[in-house]
Amino acid sequence: MHTTIPRDKNNDYSGEMAQRRRAMATAATGADLKHVGHYSLDPGTLAGNIENFMGVAQVPIGLAGPLLVNGEHAQGHFYVPLATTEGTLVASYNRGMKLLTAAGGVRATVCDDAMNRAPIFIFDHALDARRFGEWVKENFHHIKAHAEATSSVASLRDIEQYMVSKFIYLRFNYTTGDAAGQNMVTKATHAACVWIKANYAPGLNYYLEANMATDKKSSRINMLHSRGKRVTAEATIPNALLEETMGASAEPLYRRRMMSTLGALMCGAHNNGAHSPNAIAAMFIATGQDVANVAESSAGFSYAELTPEGDYYISLTIPSLIVATYGGGTGLASQRECLELMGCYGSGKVYKFAEIVAAVALAGELSLASAVVSDTWVSSHEKYGRNRP
Amino acid sequence: MHTTIPRDKNNDYSGEMAQRRRAMATAATGADLKHVGHYSLDPGTLAGNIENFMGVAQVPIGLAGPLLVNGEHAQGHFYVPLATTEGTLVASYNRGMKLLTAAGGVRATVCDDAMNRAPIFIFDHALDARRFGEWVKENFHHIKAHAEATSSVASLRDIEQYMVSKFIYLRFNYTTGDAAGQNMVTKATHAACVWIKANYAPGLNYYLEANMATDKKSSRINMLHSRGKRVTAEATIPNALLEETMGASAEPLYRRRMMSTLGALMCGAHNNGAHSPNAIAAMFIATGQDVANVAESSAGFSYAELTPEGDYYISLTIPSLIVATYGGGTGLASQRECLELMGCYGSGKVYKFAEIVAAVALAGELSLASAVVSDTWVSSHEKYGRNRP
Amino acid sequence: MHTTIPRDKNNDYSGEMAQRRRAMATAATGADLKHVGHYSLDPGTLAGNIENFMGVAQVPIGLAGPLLVNGEHAQGHFYVPLATTEGTLVASYNRGMKLLTAAGGVRATVCDDAMNRAPIFIFDHALDARRFGEWVKENFHHIKAHAEATSSVASLRDIEQYMVSKFIYLRFNYTTGDAAGQNMVTKATHAACVWIKANYAPGLNYYLEANMATDKKSSRINMLHSRGKRVTAEATIPNALLEETMGASAEPLYRRRMMSTLGALMCGAHNNGAHSPNAIAAMFIATGQDVANVAESSAGFSYAELTPEGDYYISLTIPSLIVATYGGGTGLASQRECLELMGCYGSGKVYKFAEIVAAVALAGELSLASAVVSDTWVSSHEKYGRNRP
Amino acid sequence: MHTTIPRDKNNDYSGEMAQRRRAMATAATGADLKHVGHYSLDPGTLAGNIENFMGVAQVPIGLAGPLLVNGEHAQGHFYVPLATTEGTLVASYNRGMKLLTAAGGVRATVCDDAMNRAPIFIFDHALDARRFGEWVKENFHHIKAHAEATSSVASLRDIEQYMVSKFIYLRFNYTTGDAAGQNMVTKATHAACVWIKANYAPGLNYYLEANMATDKKSSRINMLHSRGKRVTAEATIPNALLEETMGASAEPLYRRRMMSTLGALMCGAHNNGAHSPNAIAAMFIATGQDVANVAESSAGFSYAELTPEGDYYISLTIPSLIVATYGGGTGLASQRECLELMGCYGSGKVYKFAEIVAAVALAGELSLASAVVSDTWVSSHEKYGRNRP
């Protein structure tokens, strides 16, 4: 026999409702849920963030830093909250931050910014699809006006067109201020489609999405055209500093980098770097990002050079980093605190935050690569990660 | 001026050390960290899970279910904890679970199981690499013995060989019991390499990894050959039930599925489904998985059919689902409770858990697709996701 | 001892020089080259097409058709020359043409047209690359003028920008009339780069190409954005006709199509269809196209539907079909004859030719699929392909 | 009105039949076909190579070389026939060959060898597919015996298994002697499937192929696991020789190589090199290979190093080079002569030929890269390629 989860029609998100749900779950399964039920956030603030609230996951946060960032928006030394249960992770990032800070810091640059929604329009024949595409180009300003009327923030930058069979996919690219913007662009594109249908042909068939956006999935189109922020972190590390801090010289680091790129090329990886998703996931959990976006945000391009002086230039480009400093989970109790720790909560902060994430990720690239090259990878996990089989 | 984070040489992971770190961070940045400092987990248990512990992220958990699963290992009705800050997510999964349960439940099957580590061996010429590859085949049983001597659990199933330029990558495939096994296989492969080097040639050069594993990155090789569990969830939903519960018929659901597959084919997505990483990320956070593995686990293959009766067969195959029911974060306070809620904590439970994750993901595929097809996608987010811009 | 190949400084491309080269080769290797030396083309016309001319490959041509095409540019019944040494190929295409013609013909539509060249610009930091990109947008009309000044035909449509690390790739997209245009766009883009360097910064570093074009390689960017012509062929075949002509019904054809798409999705194929490169290679050889472009032109998207009447809609989109009806090998002796056979030689014919190629390719898709579904694949090769082990 | 192509029921492939077809085509279209009708091959030998024979394409062949190859099978100086209509191509390859020969020649190694056929087996549920896969493993030796009974040459090496949804794809990997083997493996796998069906379950459903082979398409699986020969060519070029012969130093060649790899990584190219398909297509046409296989054979991995002495190590790995020295078009008139020119006709020569193709391709990689780096790319095409717009 199974029971229905208590639901509250008024969305009051009370602690009492959460408690009733835990009690029901315990009764049904025997599981104690006392840690789940231990929280300081105010359930009353959760409308719009979760349904059937029953408590919290307590995810440990380690503090790393300081990391010196020389971005356009992030400038100075930052302490970074990393929420993870993976031993060694915080220690490894911390080591990389120390190196990068000693080397004069990380340059970070947001190169592009777009949140996308991509409806498919369905025709009888390819020729009809192409003609529709021409009409869309001619009517861009009308479409833009109707899309943007749904929000005070979303701005429709352009519409890419992709034709195949008797279909055309329109990929709407927006900027969305400090929000990640997925819902904003869905709503705006929905309004645009309603207008298109009314004005192109009342019988027009479309679906609001058919995998050209591509939300919460890793894809080549997002590596080429960006979803969220396209951000590059770069640094040049003196060889002497590398040897002293990491026990690894620039030359073998560089050689192995080339081999890792070759491996990624061969196996069709969407990232030729080391492990940027570790930084991304840990920061996303700590700061209330949409963690499923690790799928898109996991893509990366790593590029290195040996300078004529024998030092090590390394850069990491994250082509689809989906982040927010406003809306979503960013305003929740511990999440907001973690954003404030980096001076990244609220309006006008999202590029700053994107720069910090990329800089942190770069720290991890250097630390893990050094461990592999200096053959301390296994021993460091023996030391820190003994809970991790 | 920036301060050094207080570090503790004895790894005592005390609440007092965490408090000192928060105090230091507050002093340096002005950020209040009281919610971060509010937790019931015992810091003393965190050795091996985190360094520089300073508190927790409180991630809201919504309860969904029950979901009827007819797996080999998971059988019965399950309540599912989803940790997320994304409004609509729990409601949407819950709706899909209701549908699937009413339809008689979800079949779930683990089809493959492998955790990988892939060292690169470096030679002067391609011919040397090929000859080494032949030697590796001949010496598989010795290599296996030395790899497996490092653990009571890891079992070396086979070694794939990939040759390019003057290199050979050996991809070691292990089963690792109920642990995810990344560290276990690193250690085992390290031991194997030490033995190989001693026995093949003392001057042999290799690196323990160069992006053929590929850890924490989405890659084609892992979609072909699996990393973690390869698991399929499938169900057949009567059309009448679809119409009644979801307001969407099988036929348009099916047609749009084909278009979504076409979109994924065109844009080079590693998943032609809807949004399985939403389920995966939410369950990973709740249950103490390594959340960065959302990168690999985000891959998916969706396949649908209309039955002769007009009903809807749909399956989701997750080729690289990286999960554990033992080790890592699975034993932490709230995380263990969430696993126990599904009867999935500890030894002998990992296939059961993999089946449940896939079944939950399938529920979300149906729910989101129905919303798109019935044009309620925007309105449902208006209702539930109003905090999500 | 080896000899130098006779070279002629005046490029006189005489039959006598060809004869001397064959004689030298025969002397050096013992190979008789009498068939290579048998040709009717005039060596004097070969300047610009080949160096060190020594004779010809005699590639057998089979005649297929007629195929009814209902394109925008190709309208009517066409006979198609297929140059191949693969038994069964002509018979199979012929069978598909018969089916399509009986079904009322093939619709064919050119949806996009672009030839590309993509220089990389090299900076010290990502920020410099982004700023340069902004300057390029502002100076598009100047760049266009300088690029187009190099040719009476090339028209610069737009410039896509791709940023990574400290680099920016500019992908120049041109239309090039009836020529394939690779050399034309190289020259035009070279001129544009010279102007850019002079006007942006004399010290500007760039290379004219670094694999974002991507010439003679299969790539995702060309599947998304086209290189050459993006062309779709489509047809709806009555089920009764399928059964009668092919011994295969629409329903199993459709089911297997879905499975072939799933296979392509899983294995990372750049074509989910059957074998369009067979048509493309055979027509390219016959008509003097650049056959190495089979690399790009081999990409394809296949999409099918069962109509409510049980008939079979099928389309094939070739996203990067690189064809010419002017220049290159199109004017050579037998090549020009083969283009004239289809009314496709010379100016204003390239869209017509692209439509025919796509229509022919579609014929082969249907024929091979029917053979697999009706299990006559092996037996037909037994009959026609007995020389092909 | 359109006419039927004259067909001959007895496959006599006479010149008279060819003449009748040309006459019919000329009558129908007005095209003169006199060059098509000019050939020295004996139509009577064409059974098994073509249907509806009507004449030949005369494709110009340029002679390049000599190229010094130091392979396992190809040893010595080779003259290479390149059939192309693309000006500059022969000159460019010739230049690369001169360089490589002066540098001491090209090492070439065949690293793997497999021709594939991949039937899909269809079940009700994933679990059934997995169980069938286990049965296949247990019965491998029976399956092998039945597959190999169809041919005196084909040897079934192994069967890879790929599971998705309720399906399992079995990828049969064979060696096929000196033939390319596509038909051989189709026939062998067909026999294997008949045996499997009879012995596993009479109601078993399968199709002989569903895009996991993947014939005539570029795919990731073939880049990982090879289709045809996996062959690497490598050389180390002294910097002084580079500068003298190519006007390009090792250092900028190397830097641009890294950028080209980055470009390929970003745009999802199946080849990070320069233009290996130019060599491949030109040699395939000259020697009677199946030219549509340029699709698979166009994949490539380029890898370079600067040696401590400042010289340039470069390698090219072609993972799926599909070649034959026996069967198919290899025995036709001019095609056989071209194979004999390289000592590659007939039995026991296929590895030798594969090594030469890879070595030639490497020559072109160096030549084009040098032209780009020394900025002579445009000017050389001005000189040689004036017919190529």
Side-chain angles (χ1 to χ4, degrees):
Chain A
M1 267 290 296
H2 55 277
T3 337
T4 301
I5 298 171
R7 291 191 80 168
D8 179 288
K9 298 214 172 55
N10 302 315
N11 282 332
D12 72 353
Y13 287 91
S14 65
E16 194 217 324
M17 280 299 298
Q19 203 280 331
R20 283 178 51 199
R21 292 190 186 105
R22 293 195 304 277
M24 175 247 112
T26 298
T29 69
D32 192 356
L33 293 171
K34 72 166 185 281
H35 292 293
V36 167
H38 184 92
Y39 51 82
S40 63
L41 59 77
D42 174 3
T45 64
L46 291 177
N49 287 112
I50 198 154
E51 300 83 44
N52 288 359
F53 174 68
M54 75 157 182
V56 305
Q58 298 182 34
V59 185
I61 296 176
L63 185 64
L67 171 63
L68 177 56
V69 182
N70 307 313
E72 284 183 289
H73 306 275
Q75 297 184 338
H77 290 84
F78 293 92
Y79 294 93
V80 180
L82 297 166
T84 183
T85 59
E86 189 190 3
T88 318
L89 190 149
V90 177
S92 177
Y93 275 92
N94 210 39
R95 185 170 87 125
M97 291 180 192
K98 191 178 291 182
L99 173 77
L100 283 168
T101 300
V106 183
R107 283 174 177 266
T109 309
V110 175
C111 294
D112 203 0
D113 180 8
M115 182 46 62
N116 342 90
R117 182 53 64 205
I120 183 173
F121 294 83
I122 302 157
F123 296 91
D124 288 342
H125 297 293
L127 183 55
D128 307 319
R130 195 192 72 200
R131 286 180 177 153
F132 172 72
E134 289 154 12
W135 183 90
V136 166
K137 279 181 199 161
E138 287 158 15
N139 287 273
F140 175 71
H141 289 292
H142 293 295
I143 295 168
K144 179 176 166 70
H146 283 81
E148 294 181 353
T150 58
S151 146
S152 59
V153 175
S155 170
L156 179 60
R157 203 180 69 183
D158 58 4
I159 303 175
E160 297 163 53
Q161 301 195 359
Y162 296 96
M163 257 170 280
V164 61
S165 185
K166 55 186 181 175
F167 308 115
I168 187 166
Y169 294 75
L170 300 182
R171 186 168 144 123
F172 287 65
N173 294 308
Y174 299 85
T175 53
T176 58
D178 291 283
Q182 288 105 321
N183 290 346
M184 196 187 293
V185 306
T186 303
K187 195 172 156 187
T189 307
H190 183 264
C193 289
V194 167
W195 182 86
I196 289 170
K197 180 168 173 146
N199 286 273
Y200 187 74
L204 185 64
N205 285 313
Y206 68 89
Y207 291 118
L208 200 44
E209 182 58 57
N211 266 346
M212 286 288 285
T214 43
D215 194 29
K216 283 162 190 165
K217 281 153 275 181
S218 185
S219 73
R220 183 58 56 178
I221 200 172
N222 288 339
M223 296 169 74
L224 284 166
H225 292 298
S226 306
R227 177 173 173 80
K229 308 329 176 207
R230 188 178 199 90
V231 55
T232 292
E234 42 185 347
T236 300
I237 328 281
N239 184 45
L241 186 65
L242 272 172
E243 291 181 342
E244 184 193 316
T245 320
M246 313 304 267
S249 305
E251 207 277 343
L253 274 173
Y254 177 75
R255 281 190 175 270
R256 184 181 161 278
R257 176 97 297 285
M258 296 302 100
M259 295 173 201
S260 291
T261 292
L262 188 62
L265 258 176
M266 185 154 60
C267 79
H270 279 180
N271 186 332
N272 68 319
H275 66 139
S276 52
N278 268 331
I280 291 166
M283 294 181 77
F284 275 24
I285 298 173
T287 62
Q289 309 300 316
D290 187 345
V291 183
N293 287 134
V294 168
E296 296 104 312
S297 305
S298 67
F301 301 112
S302 183
Y303 181 82
E305 287 181 359
L306 280 181
T307 70
E309 298 75 26
D311 299 332
Y312 192 45
Y313 168 86
I314 183 154
S315 70
L316 171 69
T317 297
I318 306 175
S320 294
L321 181 67
I322 301 179
V323 286
T325 58
Y326 175 78
T330 60
L332 298 186
S334 63
Q335 289 80 352
R336 175 174 173 164
E337 290 177 355
C338 285
L339 282 169
E340 287 172 340
L341 184 63
M342 296 176 284
C344 287
Y345 179 69
S347 171
K349 298 294 172 63
V350 75
Y351 286 177
K352 180 182 181 184
F353 183 54
E355 289 176 354
I356 297 172
V357 173
V360 172
L362 187 67
E365 299 296 283
L366 282 158
S367 185
L368 177 51
S370 299
V372 174
V373 163
S374 66
D375 206 17
T376 59
W377 190 19
V378 171
S379 58
S380 67
H381 275 79
E382 292 290 288
K383 182 173 167 198
Y384 291 114
R386 65 181 184 249
N387 249 23
R388 304 246 332 140
Chain B
M1 269 288 297
H2 54 274
T3 338
T4 301
I5 298 170
R7 290 192 80 167
D8 180 287
K9 298 219 170 49
N10 303 316
N11 282 333
D12 71 354
Y13 289 91
S14 65
E16 191 215 328
M17 280 299 297
Q19 203 281 329
R20 282 178 54 199
R21 290 188 189 108
R22 292 195 304 277
M24 176 247 112
T26 297
T29 69
D32 192 357
L33 294 171
K34 71 167 186 282
H35 292 294
V36 167
H38 184 92
Y39 51 81
S40 63
L41 59 75
D42 174 3
T45 63
L46 292 177
N49 287 111
I50 198 154
E51 300 84 44
N52 288 359
F53 173 68
M54 74 158 182
V56 305
Q58 298 181 33
V59 186
I61 296 176
L63 186 64
L67 171 63
L68 177 56
V69 182
N70 307 314
E72 284 184 289
H73 306 275
Q75 297 184 338
H77 290 83
F78 293 93
Y79 293 94
V80 179
L82 297 166
T84 184
T85 59
E86 189 191 3
T88 319
L89 191 150
V90 177
S92 177
Y93 276 92
N94 210 38
R95 184 170 88 124
M97 291 180 191
K98 190 178 292 181
L99 174 77
L100 285 167
T101 301
V106 183
R107 283 174 177 267
T109 309
V110 175
C111 294
D112 202 0
D113 181 8
M115 182 46 63
N116 342 90
R117 185 51 65 204
I120 182 173
F121 293 83
I122 302 157
F123 296 90
D124 288 342
H125 297 292
L127 183 54
D128 306 319
R130 194 191 73 198
R131 285 180 177 151
F132 171 72
E134 289 154 11
W135 182 90
V136 167
K137 279 181 201 163
E138 287 159 14
N139 286 272
F140 175 73
H141 290 291
H142 294 293
I143 295 168
K144 180 176 165 70
H146 284 81
E148 294 180 354
T150 58
S151 148
S152 59
V153 175
S155 171
L156 179 61
R157 202 181 69 181
D158 58 5
I159 303 176
E160 297 162 53
Q161 300 194 0
Y162 297 94
M163 256 171 280
V164 61
S165 185
K166 56 187 180 174
F167 308 114
I168 187 166
Y169 294 76
L170 301 182
R171 187 168 143 124
F172 287 64
N173 295 307
Y174 298 86
T175 53
T176 58
D178 292 283
Q182 288 105 320
N183 289 345
M184 197 188 289
V185 306
T186 303
K187 196 172 159 187
T189 308
H190 184 264
C193 288
V194 167
W195 182 85
I196 289 170
K197 180 170 174 145
N199 287 274
Y200 187 75
L204 185 64
N205 285 313
Y206 68 89
Y207 291 117
L208 199 46
E209 182 57 57
N211 266 345
M212 286 288 286
T214 44
D215 193 28
K216 285 164 189 162
K217 279 153 280 180
S218 185
S219 73
R220 184 59 56 179
I221 200 173
N222 287 340
M223 295 169 72
L224 284 166
H225 291 298
S226 306
R227 176 170 174 83
K229 308 329 177 209
R230 189 180 199 89
V231 56
T232 292
E234 43 185 346
T236 300
I237 327 281
N239 184 45
L241 186 64
L242 272 172
E243 291 181 342
E244 184 192 318
T245 320
M246 314 303 267
S249 305
E251 206 278 341
L253 274 173
Y254 176 74
R255 282 190 175 265
R256 185 181 159 278
R257 177 96 298 287
M258 295 304 100
M259 295 174 201
S260 292
T261 292
L262 187 64
L265 257 177
M266 186 155 59
C267 80
H270 279 179
N271 186 332
N272 67 320
H275 66 139
S276 52
N278 268 331
I280 291 166
M283 294 182 77
F284 275 25
I285 298 173
T287 62
Q289 309 299 316
D290 187 345
V291 183
N293 288 135
V294 169
E296 296 104 313
S297 305
S298 67
F301 301 113
S302 183
Y303 181 81
E305 287 181 0
L306 281 182
T307 69
E309 297 75 27
D311 299 332
Y312 192 45
Y313 169 86
I314 183 154
S315 70
L316 171 69
T317 298
I318 306 174
S320 293
L321 181 68
I322 303 179
V323 286
T325 56
Y326 175 79
T330 60
L332 298 187
S334 63
Q335 288 82 351
R336 175 172 173 166
E337 289 177 355
C338 285
L339 283 169
E340 287 173 339
L341 184 63
M342 297 175 283
C344 287
Y345 179 69
S347 171
K349 298 293 172 62
V350 76
Y351 287 177
K352 179 182 182 185
F353 183 55
E355 290 176 355
I356 296 173
V357 173
V360 172
L362 187 66
E365 298 297 282
L366 282 157
S367 184
L368 177 52
S370 299
V372 174
V373 162
S374 66
D375 204 19
T376 59
W377 191 18
V378 172
S379 57
S380 67
H381 276 79
E382 291 290 286
K383 183 174 169 197
Y384 291 114
R386 62 179 185 251
N387 249 24
R388 304 247 331 142
Chain C
M1 268 290 296
H2 55 275
T3 337
T4 301
I5 298 171
R7 292 191 81 169
D8 179 287
K9 297 214 171 55
N10 304 314
N11 281 333
D12 70 353
Y13 288 91
S14 65
E16 193 217 324
M17 280 299 298
Q19 202 281 331
R20 283 178 53 198
R21 292 191 187 105
R22 293 196 303 277
M24 176 246 111
T26 298
T29 69
D32 191 356
L33 293 171
K34 71 167 186 281
H35 292 293
V36 167
H38 184 92
Y39 51 82
S40 63
L41 59 76
D42 174 3
T45 64
L46 291 177
N49 287 113
I50 198 154
E51 299 83 45
N52 288 359
F53 173 69
M54 74 158 181
V56 305
Q58 297 181 33
V59 185
I61 296 177
L63 185 64
L67 171 63
L68 177 56
V69 182
N70 308 313
E72 284 183 288
H73 305 276
Q75 296 184 337
H77 291 84
F78 294 93
Y79 294 92
V80 180
L82 297 166
T84 184
T85 60
E86 188 190 2
T88 317
L89 191 149
V90 177
S92 177
Y93 276 92
N94 211 37
R95 184 170 86 126
M97 290 180 193
K98 191 178 290 181
L99 172 76
L100 283 168
T101 300
V106 183
R107 284 174 177 265
T109 310
V110 175
C111 294
D112 203 0
D113 180 9
M115 182 45 63
N116 343 90
R117 184 52 65 207
I120 183 173
F121 294 83
I122 303 157
F123 296 91
D124 288 342
H125 297 293
L127 184 54
D128 306 319
R130 195 192 72 199
R131 286 179 177 153
F132 171 72
E134 289 155 11
W135 183 90
V136 167
K137 279 181 200 164
E138 287 159 14
N139 288 273
F140 174 71
H141 289 291
H142 294 294
I143 295 167
K144 178 176 166 69
H146 283 82
E148 294 181 354
T150 57
S151 147
S152 58
V153 175
S155 169
L156 179 60
R157 201 180 69 184
D158 58 4
I159 303 175
E160 298 162 52
Q161 302 195 357
Y162 297 95
M163 257 170 279
V164 60
S165 185
K166 56 187 180 173
F167 308 114
I168 186 166
Y169 294 76
L170 301 182
R171 187 168 144 122
F172 287 64
N173 295 308
Y174 298 86
T175 53
T176 59
D178 290 283
Q182 288 105 321
N183 289 346
M184 196 188 292
V185 306
T186 303
K187 197 171 155 187
T189 308
H190 184 263
C193 289
V194 167
W195 182 87
I196 288 170
K197 181 169 173 146
N199 287 273
Y200 187 76
L204 185 65
N205 285 312
Y206 67 89
Y207 291 119
L208 200 45
E209 183 57 58
N211 266 345
M212 286 288 286
T214 44
D215 195 28
K216 284 165 188 161
K217 282 152 274 181
S218 185
S219 73
R220 184 57 57 179
I221 199 173
N222 288 339
M223 296 169 72
L224 284 166
H225 291 299
S226 307
R227 178 172 173 81
K229 309 327 176 209
R230 188 179 200 90
V231 55
T232 292
E234 43 185 345
T236 300
I237 328 282
N239 184 45
L241 186 66
L242 272 172
E243 290 181 343
E244 185 193 315
T245 321
M246 314 302 268
S249 307
E251 208 277 343
L253 275 173
Y254 177 75
R255 282 191 175 267
R256 185 181 161 276
R257 176 96 299 283
M258 296 302 100
M259 295 173 200
S260 290
T261 292
L262 187 63
L265 258 177
M266 186 154 61
C267 79
H270 279 180
N271 187 332
N272 68 318
H275 66 138
S276 51
N278 268 331
I280 291 166
M283 293 182 77
F284 275 24
I285 297 173
T287 61
Q289 309 299 318
D290 186 346
V291 183
N293 288 135
V294 169
E296 296 104 313
S297 305
S298 67
F301 301 113
S302 183
Y303 181 82
E305 287 182 0
L306 280 181
T307 70
E309 297 75 28
D311 299 331
Y312 192 44
Y313 168 86
I314 183 154
S315 70
L316 171 68
T317 297
I318 306 174
S320 294
L321 181 68
I322 301 179
V323 286
T325 56
Y326 175 78
T330 59
L332 298 185
S334 62
Q335 290 80 351
R336 176 174 172 165
E337 290 177 354
C338 285
L339 282 169
E340 287 173 340
L341 184 62
M342 296 176 282
C344 287
Y345 178 69
S347 171
K349 298 293 173 60
V350 76
Y351 287 177
K352 179 182 181 184
F353 183 55
E355 289 176 353
I356 297 173
V357 173
V360 172
L362 186 68
E365 298 296 282
L366 282 158
S367 184
L368 178 51
S370 299
V372 174
V373 163
S374 67
D375 206 17
T376 59
W377 190 19
V378 171
S379 58
S380 67
H381 276 80
E382 292 290 286
K383 182 174 170 199
Y384 292 114
R386 64 181 185 249
N387 247 23
R388 305 245 332 140
Chain D
M1 267 291 295
H2 55 275
T3 338
T4 301
I5 299 169
R7 292 192 79 166
D8 179 287
K9 299 219 170 53
N10 304 316
N11 281 334
D12 70 354
Y13 289 93
S14 65
E16 193 216 325
M17 280 299 297
Q19 204 279 331
R20 283 178 52 198
R21 289 189 190 108
R22 292 196 304 279
M24 175 247 112
T26 297
T29 69
D32 191 357
L33 293 171
K34 72 168 187 280
H35 292 295
V36 167
H38 184 93
Y39 52 81
S40 64
L41 58 75
D42 175 3
T45 64
L46 292 177
N49 287 113
I50 197 153
E51 301 83 44
N52 287 0
F53 173 67
M54 73 158 181
V56 305
Q58 297 182 33
V59 186
I61 296 177
L63 185 64
L67 171 64
L68 177 56
V69 183
N70 308 312
E72 284 183 290
H73 306 276
Q75 297 184 338
H77 291 83
F78 294 93
Y79 294 93
V80 179
L82 297 166
T84 183
T85 59
E86 189 190 4
T88 319
L89 191 150
V90 177
S92 177
Y93 275 93
N94 210 38
R95 185 170 87 125
M97 291 180 191
K98 190 177 292 182
L99 174 77
L100 284 167
T101 301
V106 183
R107 284 174 176 266
T109 310
V110 175
C111 294
D112 203 0
D113 181 8
M115 182 46 62
N116 341 91
R117 183 53 63 206
I120 183 172
F121 294 84
I122 301 157
F123 296 90
D124 289 341
H125 297 292
L127 184 54
D128 306 319
R130 195 190 74 199
R131 285 180 177 151
F132 172 72
E134 289 154 12
W135 183 88
V136 166
K137 279 182 200 163
E138 287 158 15
N139 287 274
F140 175 72
H141 290 291
H142 294 294
I143 295 168
K144 179 176 165 68
H146 284 81
E148 295 180 353
T150 57
S151 147
S152 59
V153 176
S155 170
L156 179 61
R157 202 181 70 182
D158 59 5
I159 302 176
E160 298 163 52
Q161 301 194 358
Y162 297 95
M163 256 170 279
V164 61
S165 185
K166 56 186 180 174
F167 307 114
I168 187 166
Y169 294 76
L170 301 182
R171 189 169 142 122
F172 286 65
N173 294 308
Y174 298 85
T175 54
T176 58
D178 291 282
Q182 288 105 321
N183 290 344
M184 197 188 288
V185 305
T186 303
K187 196 172 158 186
T189 307
H190 184 263
C193 288
V194 167
W195 183 86
I196 288 170
K197 180 169 173 145
N199 286 273
Y200 187 75
L204 186 64
N205 285 312
Y206 67 89
Y207 290 118
L208 199 46
E209 183 57 58
N211 267 344
M212 286 289 286
T214 42
D215 193 28
K216 285 162 189 163
K217 279 152 280 180
S218 185
S219 73
R220 184 58 56 179
I221 200 173
N222 287 341
M223 295 169 73
L224 285 165
H225 291 299
S226 307
R227 176 171 173 82
K229 306 334 175 203
R230 189 179 199 90
V231 55
T232 292
E234 43 185 345
T236 300
I237 328 281
N239 185 45
L241 186 65
L242 272 172
E243 291 181 342
E244 184 192 316
T245 320
M246 314 303 267
S249 306
E251 206 277 344
L253 275 173
Y254 176 74
R255 282 191 175 267
R256 185 181 161 276
R257 176 96 298 286
M258 294 303 100
M259 294 172 202
S260 291
T261 292
L262 187 63
L265 258 177
M266 186 156 57
C267 79
H270 279 180
N271 186 332
N272 67 319
H275 65 139
S276 52
N278 268 330
I280 291 166
M283 294 181 76
F284 275 25
I285 297 172
T287 62
Q289 309 299 316
D290 186 347
V291 183
N293 287 135
V294 168
E296 296 104 312
S297 305
S298 67
F301 302 113
S302 182
Y303 181 82
E305 287 181 0
L306 280 181
T307 70
E309 298 76 27
D311 299 332
Y312 192 45
Y313 168 86
I314 183 154
S315 70
L316 171 69
T317 297
I318 306 174
S320 293
L321 181 69
I322 303 179
V323 285
T325 57
Y326 175 79
T330 60
L332 298 186
S334 62
Q335 288 81 352
R336 176 173 172 165
E337 289 177 355
C338 285
L339 283 169
E340 287 172 341
L341 184 64
M342 297 176 283
C344 286
Y345 180 70
S347 170
K349 297 293 171 62
V350 76
Y351 287 177
K352 180 182 181 185
F353 183 55
E355 290 176 353
I356 296 173
V357 173
V360 172
L362 187 66
E365 298 297 282
L366 282 157
S367 184
L368 177 52
S370 299
V372 174
V373 162
S374 66
D375 204 18
T376 59
W377 191 17
V378 172
S379 58
S380 67
H381 275 79
E382 292 291 286
K383 183 174 169 198
Y384 291 115
R386 63 179 184 251
N387 249 24
R388 303 250 328 143

